[in-house]
């Protein structure tokens, strides 16, 4: 990371922290002014992170997907992007500021512990499939994280949410939350699915095998199947809404594991760069 | 007991078993995929490992039950979806609503994809050659590293000899650097060899085969060991494994001299441009007893008790795999269409959200 990148990176991290603590404050002291401020800080965080990404892209000559650090930043960026788009579309979203800012704050923290040096692009990665693969992996993860965030909100219960309602100004449609979660799950399944095929096409071109049960391939398929199961459990068997929410948080955890947890456990050729 | 093949409960059950098997395969090291972890687990479990072998839990993806499971999944998915859409059609008189259409396309394409996966497995052929520069192997030999041929694969390939000419660790392409191998392919019925540079993303295509460079490579020192009388005990290129530890790459391996208890560890010491002036750390053990531990360059010969050890030449090695994967594009195609179907089915959900808010 060079000096300018550092400035934008740490500003983004600070903005995340500030957003999260302001939301907490507003909930404890029932102040809507600090909630509104938090909303704007979160928009600003998206802006500074975008600038960070552009600067890094321009400096390294490739989109910031390559190292572990970059892939985490990309996922945070997609999470913020989906969040801000959804804010225009879905009523429940403002209240989501709490779990989303919390999760992305955690990920900012995690990313700050990783080596942030840019890695030269190895030739395995100079392929259009890389860009499809990596952008769908990170955006898919973002969609699943959004579903998990919704689930956290749902599990907090209607009473707590009603108390927050004064703060967040908008009325969360509590009853329809599981449906929104389901939609994010399906959206995530599509993105994650594109990630899996494009990854496997890329693996074929690069290494001559389309599927080798490498730990990352294996875990991302597991995540996909788990979400598929969850979806059928909800659609076909009317799984209880609370259990559905708990399980979607659990399934999102497997996504986080397949993207960023694997290299702590296995040796894989998906070495990020 | 009568099984209802169209039941969604069965589908759920089957997908769950599939997921569990895959999770198991993530925990239990699989043959041909994580061989070194198998050794660790064998040590850990001792005789208990027999259970894993009996149940074929160390080769889940090629075991019969895995394919039986996929078969059931296909039948179930087909039956379940046909039944469902019959009912939908009876009540709604159309299947052309985006939601149904999406779901039909999705599940049918997934069936197609799974069938292609099975077909591809049956007809797949893959040989991985581990070659040192200058070395040649033929596809009629059995000395290559690994071979896999599906049960339905009939070898119609022409015999050929594959020679690795050189390995280049930093071949420049479009501004970035990669590993490349110059190979030469001599088919039995051809007077002239086909030469090509294969690199990541650029295999050599010949007949039905694609020759790919593998993701790993390393160094091959030529180890010569003579006894006190000058008789040769060992003379061969030894492929060293490369391991990355804290960002630094180490090239190391050991060999055991046939029918003796002599074990020789070789580590490459120099880490830049080592081909020009390599230096090695050599340790020799007989049983547990250390005979010598010394450094060695390519110009020296060391005396170690009764042995004379030298490494006159250093070359590189890499993996080249020859792959025939005939139904692979069907798999990709099926999966893309499935995802398109999922997207078509998803659109009305988005629109529904919108109209609800109005
Ligand atoms: C044996 C296999 C399968 C059967 C019998 C099956 C059956 C079904 C049924 C009955 C539904 C409709 C539920 C409803 O509308 O209430 C459905 C929907 C769905 N299934 Fe499957 N399924 C199978 C495998 C899969 C797999 C492996 C996935 C991928 C993860 C998957 C993804 C989906 C999706 C995304 C939907 C929702 C479509 C929509 O409503 O837009 N299915 N499936």
């Amino acid at each position: 990371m060079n000096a300018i990148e550092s400035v934008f990176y740490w500003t983004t991290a600070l903005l995340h922290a500030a957003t999260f603590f302001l939301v907490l404050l507003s909930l404890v002291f029932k102040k809507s002014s600090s909630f509104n401020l938090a909303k704007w800080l979160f928009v600003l965080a998206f802006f500074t992170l975008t600038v960070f990404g552009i600067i890094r892209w321009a400096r390294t000559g490739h989109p910031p997907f390559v190292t572990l650090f970059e892939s985490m930043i990309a996922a945070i960026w997609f999470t913020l992007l989906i969040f801000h788009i959804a804010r225009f579309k879905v009523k429940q979203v403002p209240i989501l500021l709490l779990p989303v800012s919390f999760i992305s704050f955690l990920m900012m923290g995690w990313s700050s512990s990783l080596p942030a040096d840019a890695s030269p692009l190895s030739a395995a990665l100079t392929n259009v499939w890389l860009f499809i693969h990596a952008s769908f992996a990170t955006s898919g993860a973002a969609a699943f994280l959004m579903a998990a965030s919704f689930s956290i909100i749902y599990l907090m219960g209607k009473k707590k949410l009603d108390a927050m309602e004064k703060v967040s100004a908008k009325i969360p449609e509590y009853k329809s939350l599981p449906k929104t979660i389901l939609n994010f799950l399906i959206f995530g399944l599509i993105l994650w699915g594109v990630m899996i095929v494009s990854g496997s096409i890329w693996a074929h071109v690069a290494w001559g095998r389309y599927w080798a049960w490498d730990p990352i391939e294996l875990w991302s398929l597991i995540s996909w199947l788990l979400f598929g199961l969850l979806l059928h459990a909800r659609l076909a068997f009317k799984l209880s809404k609370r259990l559905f929410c708990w399980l979607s948080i659990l399934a999102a955890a497997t996504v986080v594991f397949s993207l960023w947890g694997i290299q702590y456990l296995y040796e894989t050729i998906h070495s990020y760069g | 007991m009568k099984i209802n093949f169209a039941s969604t409960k069965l589908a759920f059950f089957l997908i769950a078993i599939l997921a569990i098997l895959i999770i198991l395969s993530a925990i239990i090291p699989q043959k041909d995929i994580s061989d070194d972890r198998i050794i660790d687990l064998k040590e850990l479990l001792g005789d208990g490992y027999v259970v894993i072998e009996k149940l074929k839990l160390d080769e889940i993806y090629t075991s019969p039950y895995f394919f039986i499971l996929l078969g059931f999944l296909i039948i179930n998915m087909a039956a379940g979806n046909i039944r469902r859409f019959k009912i939908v059609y009876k009540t709604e008189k159309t299947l052309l609503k985006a939601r149904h259409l999406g779901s039909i396309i999705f599940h049918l394409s997934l069936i197609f994809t799974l069938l292609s996966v099975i077909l591809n497995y049956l007809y797949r052929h893959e040989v991985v050659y581990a070659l040192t520069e200058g070395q040649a192997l033929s596809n009629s030999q059995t000395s290559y590293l690994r071979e896999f041929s599906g049960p339905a694969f009939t070898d119609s390939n022409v015999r050929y000899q594959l020679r690795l000419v050189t390995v280049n660790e930093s071949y420049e392409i479009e501004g970035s650097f990669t590993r490349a191998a110059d190979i030469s392919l001599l088919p039995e019925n051809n007077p002239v060899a086909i030469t090509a540079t294969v690199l990541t993303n650029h295999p050599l295509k010949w007949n039905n085969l694609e020759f790919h460079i593998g993701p790993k490579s390393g160094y091959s020192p030529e180890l010569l060991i003579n006894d006190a009388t000058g008789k040769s005990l060992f003379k061969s290129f030894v492929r060293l494994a490369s391991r990355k530890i804290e960002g630094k790459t180490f090239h190391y391996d050991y060999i055991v001299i046939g029918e003796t208890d002599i074990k020789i560890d070789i580590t490459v010491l120099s880490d830049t441009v080592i081909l020009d002036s390599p230096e090695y750390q050599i340790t020799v053990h007989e049983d547990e007893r250390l005979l010598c531990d010394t450094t060695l360059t390519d110009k020296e010969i060391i005396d170690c008790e009764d042995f004379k050890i030298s490494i006159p030449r250093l070359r590189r090695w890499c993996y080249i795999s020859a792959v025939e994967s005939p139904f692979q594009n069907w798999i990709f195609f099926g999966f893309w269409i499935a995802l398109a179907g999922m997207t078509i089915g998803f659109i009305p959900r988005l629109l529904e959200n919108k109209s609800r808010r109005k």
Side-chain angles (χ1 to χ4, degrees):
Chain A
M1 228 184 327
N2 66 17
I4 310 177
E5 282 171 29
S6 290
V7 170
F8 280 97
Y9 175 79
W10 288 108
T11 310
T12 311
L14 271 181
L15 285 170
H16 269 88
T19 307
F20 177 61
F21 287 113
L22 277 176
V23 176
L24 272 188
L25 272 184
S26 72
L27 294 179
V28 176
F29 296 108
K30 306 256 178 291
K31 280 229 159 62
S32 58
S33 56
S34 58
F35 190 85
N36 283 331
L37 182 59
K39 274 197 292 198
W40 284 110
L41 290 187
F42 213 45
V43 174
L44 198 59
F46 177 64
F47 177 74
T48 53
L49 192 61
T50 309
V51 175
F52 169 82
I54 294 172
I55 296 175
R56 195 171 170 101
W57 188 335
R59 180 169 69 90
T60 57
H62 56 76
F65 289 142
V66 175
T67 63
L68 182 59
F69 169 79
E70 288 172 346
S71 106
M72 202 168 277
I73 295 293
I76 299 173
W77 187 82
F78 274 115
T79 309
L80 299 191
L81 177 73
I82 294 176
F83 177 80
H84 289 308
I85 291 176
R87 261 184 59 179
F88 291 108
K89 296 268 175 203
V90 190
K91 263 192 184 161
Q92 302 108 336
V93 167
I95 195 69
L96 264 188
L97 198 51
L98 180 66
V100 170
S101 64
F102 176 62
I103 289 172
S104 57
F105 177 51
L106 282 186
M107 280 167 58
M108 270 320 270
W110 187 354
S111 74
S112 73
S113 76
L114 298 167
D117 318 327
S119 132
L121 201 56
S122 76
L125 306 181
T126 54
N127 186 296
V128 24
W129 293 114
L130 160 73
F131 303 114
I132 299 174
H133 178 63
S135 56
F136 278 86
T138 45
S139 56
F144 289 135
L145 285 176
M146 290 295 283
S149 307
F150 274 98
S151 302
I152 294 173
I153 284 293
Y154 186 83
L155 290 171
M156 284 168 72
K158 185 152 170 45
K159 265 206 192 116
K160 274 216 186 80
L161 290 180
D162 282 343
M164 288 182 197
E165 184 189 303
K166 298 171 195 79
V167 178
S168 70
K170 286 221 168 113
I171 304 154
E173 292 173 45
Y174 187 73
K175 260 171 54 190
S176 68
L177 264 174
K179 190 157 193 155
T180 316
I181 296 171
L182 195 73
N183 285 346
F184 270 99
L185 283 195
I186 298 180
F187 186 45
L189 268 174
I190 297 173
L191 299 176
W192 200 251
V194 174
M195 180 278 269
I196 293 177
V197 231
S198 56
S200 118
I201 294 178
W202 174 37
H204 172 71
V205 205
W207 299 305
R209 85 289 185 290
Y210 74 97
W211 193 267
W213 300 105
D214 178 84
I216 283 210
E217 295 170 353
L218 197 149
W219 276 105
S220 44
L221 182 64
I222 291 174
S223 301
W224 198 72
L225 287 176
L226 287 182
F227 276 112
L229 276 174
L230 194 54
L231 187 79
H232 287 96
R234 179 76 195 125
L235 280 179
F237 306 131
K238 300 288 167 228
L239 180 74
S240 91
K241 290 178 179 170
R242 287 187 73 81
L243 191 57
F244 172 67
C245 288
W246 276 115
L247 292 178
S248 55
I249 294 173
L250 205 72
T254 68
V255 164
V256 171
F257 178 70
S258 21
L259 263 186
W260 305 298
I262 296 266
Q263 75 267 329
Y264 295 105
L265 273 191
Y266 297 95
E267 216 181 278
T268 133
I269 53 171
H270 282 76
S271 57
Y272 284 103
Chain B
M1 191 181 71
K2 199 165 162 279
I3 300 177
N4 175 6
F5 278 106
S7 106
T8 316
K9 281 217 172 74
L10 179 64
F12 190 83
F13 177 72
L14 291 174
I15 303 175
I17 295 193
L18 183 66
I20 289 170
L21 279 180
I22 298 178
I23 291 176
L24 273 181
S25 81
I27 299 166
I28 302 169
Q30 301 290 300
K31 270 189 196 164
D32 283 352
I33 298 175
S34 36
D35 293 322
D36 29 340
R37 280 175 48 226
I38 289 186
I39 299 167
D40 298 344
L41 190 70
K42 268 189 183 156
E43 261 170 30
L44 185 76
L45 295 183
D47 292 340
Y49 195 80
V50 178
V51 180
I52 289 180
E53 278 176 333
K54 277 252 162 64
L55 295 175
K56 288 192 184 293
L57 289 178
D58 58 347
E59 41 183 340
I60 290 178
Y61 314 119
T62 48
S63 64
Y65 56 77
F66 192 72
F67 286 91
I68 292 171
L69 180 68
L70 289 188
F72 269 113
L73 208 63
I74 290 170
I75 295 170
N76 172 232
M77 214 184 314
N81 282 285
I82 289 170
R83 190 191 64 169
R84 186 158 70 95
F85 288 109
K86 264 192 191 149
I87 299 171
V88 171
Y89 188 75
K90 259 193 200 139
T91 49
E92 300 191 18
K93 294 285 170 250
T94 176
L95 290 178
L96 291 176
K97 285 183 181 166
R99 215 197 128 185
H100 304 320
L101 199 64
S103 182
I104 293 176
I105 295 176
F106 173 77
H107 289 96
L108 282 185
S109 313
L110 208 57
I111 292 172
F112 179 83
T113 308
L114 287 180
L115 280 174
S116 313
V117 165
I118 295 179
L119 275 176
N120 197 59
Y121 168 78
L122 291 176
Y123 288 94
R124 186 179 166 82
H125 171 67
E126 177 175 353
V127 189
V128 181
Y129 300 99
L131 289 162
T132 294
E133 288 169 330
Q135 191 183 1
L137 283 174
S138 114
N139 63 338
S140 56
Q141 270 165 328
T142 47
S143 56
Y144 34 72
L145 192 76
R146 183 162 78 226
E147 189 206 344
F148 171 80
S149 291
F153 171 77
T154 46
D155 188 0
S156 59
N157 285 316
V158 180
R159 301 281 143 219
Y160 60 81
Q161 198 188 52
L162 180 68
R163 174 186 295 277
L164 176 64
V165 184
T166 54
V167 180
N168 184 348
E169 288 287 330
S170 48
Y171 180 91
E172 191 182 346
I173 175 167
E174 291 159 18
S176 61
F177 292 90
T178 185
R179 177 185 304 127
D182 284 329
I183 57 171
S184 141
L185 186 73
L186 184 64
E188 204 175 56
N189 54 4
N190 257 34
V192 244
I194 302 158
T195 56
T197 303
V198 293
L199 52 142
T200 324
N201 301 341
H202 299 270
L204 163 66
K205 293 183 184 174
W206 174 74
N207 278 6
N208 307 322
L209 289 169
E210 284 187 11
F211 292 87
H212 287 264
I213 186 166
K216 280 186 180 166
S217 66
Y219 289 99
S220 264
E222 184 185 35
L223 182 67
L224 304 185
I225 304 171
N226 292 350
D227 66 11
T229 65
K231 195 181 125 212
S232 170
L233 296 175
F234 187 90
K235 179 179 189 299
S236 181
F237 285 94
V238 180
R239 281 200 316 271
L240 302 187
S242 344
R243 263 180 216 109
K244 233 186 190 158
I245 303 171
E246 287 168 8
K248 257 190 101 178
T249 310
F250 290 86
H251 303 277
Y252 159 83
D253 224 322
Y254 68 86
I255 60 150
V256 177
I257 308 287
E259 290 166 28
T260 67
D261 295 320
I262 306 289
K263 176 174 169 254
I264 303 180
D265 291 83
I266 310 170
T267 310
V268 179
L269 287 177
S270 30
D271 52 20
T272 47
V273 218
I274 66 175
L275 282 170
D276 294 337
S277 53
E279 193 179 9
Y280 312 90
Q281 183 74 35
I282 304 287
T283 52
V284 184
H285 285 87
E286 180 164 25
D287 279 336
E288 294 295 295
R289 192 166 66 91
L290 180 69
L291 300 187
C292 37
D293 184 2
T294 174
T295 61
L296 173 66
T297 68
D298 55 349
K299 303 191 176 57
E300 296 169 305
I301 296 177
I302 50 172
D303 283 307
C304 177
E305 306 240 324
D306 292 340
F307 308 110
K308 289 189 187 307
I309 301 175
S310 63
I311 300 183
R313 291 186 289 181
L314 178 62
R315 291 187 175 165
R316 293 177 197 271
W317 67 264
C318 76
Y319 292 130
I320 302 284
S321 56
V323 188
E324 191 174 328
S325 190
F327 293 93
Q328 179 171 295
N329 287 337
W330 294 28
I331 302 174
F332 295 149
F333 175 76
F335 209 91
W336 281 122
I337 303 295
L339 292 172
M342 222 196 246
T343 311
I344 292 171
F346 184 55
I347 292 167
R349 291 179 170 274
L350 286 181
L351 299 180
E352 184 189 348
N353 256 359
K354 223 182 226 165
S355 57
R356 199 152 37 93
R357 239 174 303 124
K358 272 182 196 147

